[in-house]
Amino acid sequence: MGRILALDYGSKRTGIAVTDEMQIIASGLTTVETPGLLKFLEQYFATEKVDAVLIGKPVQMNNQPSESAAEIEKFVAKFEKAFPGRKVERVDERFTSKIAFQSMIDSGMKKKQRQNKALIDEISATIMLQDYLSRN
């Protein structure tokens, strides 16, 4: 069994989370500058078995696509071209950044640490992945 990878895609940075090989526990992996994301994924796929990649699907409260949806769709097309046959699932990412920020507060992180947007992106990807695991 391979891992499941989750991407919280952003125009500047992308948070990445991954499961263990048994697909039980979601953990933050890293945050990558988005222009280098496909290269990072190529290297990661070369060393790790990945069964599926989750990519956030940003929707508004009325279920309409958010402003960033078009940019993410372009990335999904590039991803599918770069990694044909790789299983991609789109998952709702509503509120993940807010939940990530609140979890940082709840865990007692100092204000300076909470300003680390890369960490927020990584935690958001982890929340998205854990939610997916809980539903499946």
Side-chain angles (χ1 to χ4, degrees):
M1 188 179 289
R3 300 173 187 274
I4 299 173
L5 197 72
L7 305 177
D8 182 30
Y9 184 88
S11 59
K12 295 179 184 177
R13 295 171 307 280
T14 298
I16 304 173
V18 66
T19 64
D20 59 305
E21 291 162 346
M22 299 296 292
Q23 299 180 2
I24 297 170
I25 300 169
S27 302
L29 180 63
T30 190
T31 301
V32 174
E33 297 297 318
T34 296
L37 179 58
L38 290 176
K39 182 76 171 163
F40 173 87
L41 292 172
E42 180 183 329
Q43 293 169 344
Y44 190 81
F45 295 153
T47 60
E48 296 290 340
K49 184 174 184 314
V50 176
D51 287 347
V53 177
L54 309 180
I55 301 175
K57 183 176 181 180
V59 291
Q60 298 175 17
M61 290 302 294
N62 63 1
N63 289 326
Q64 294 299 310
S66 74
E67 297 170 10
S68 60
E71 184 178 352
I72 295 173
E73 290 301 325
K74 287 178 189 174
F75 169 74
V76 171
K78 286 181 189 175
F79 179 92
E80 290 174 336
K81 185 176 180 184
F83 307 107
R86 176 104 24 211
K87 182 180 177 184
V88 174
E89 289 192 48
R90 302 299 306 277
V91 293
D92 189 345
E93 65 173 31
R94 272 183 284 202
F95 305 117
T96 56
S97 294
K98 289 180 176 151
I99 295 168
F101 188 75
Q102 186 60 48
S103 71
M104 293 170 84
I105 292 170
D106 294 345
S107 68
M109 285 189 165
K110 304 265 186 246
K111 184 176 182 178
K112 186 84 169 162
Q113 293 170 306
R114 295 191 312 257
Q115 292 172 339
N116 181 349
K117 294 186 187 303
L119 183 57
I120 293 171
D121 293 338
E122 183 179 328
I123 294 171
S124 295
T126 307
I127 291 167
M128 188 170 52
L129 182 53
Q130 187 60 56
D131 185 54
Y132 174 84
L133 291 174
S134 296
R135 283 191 322 253
N136 293 308

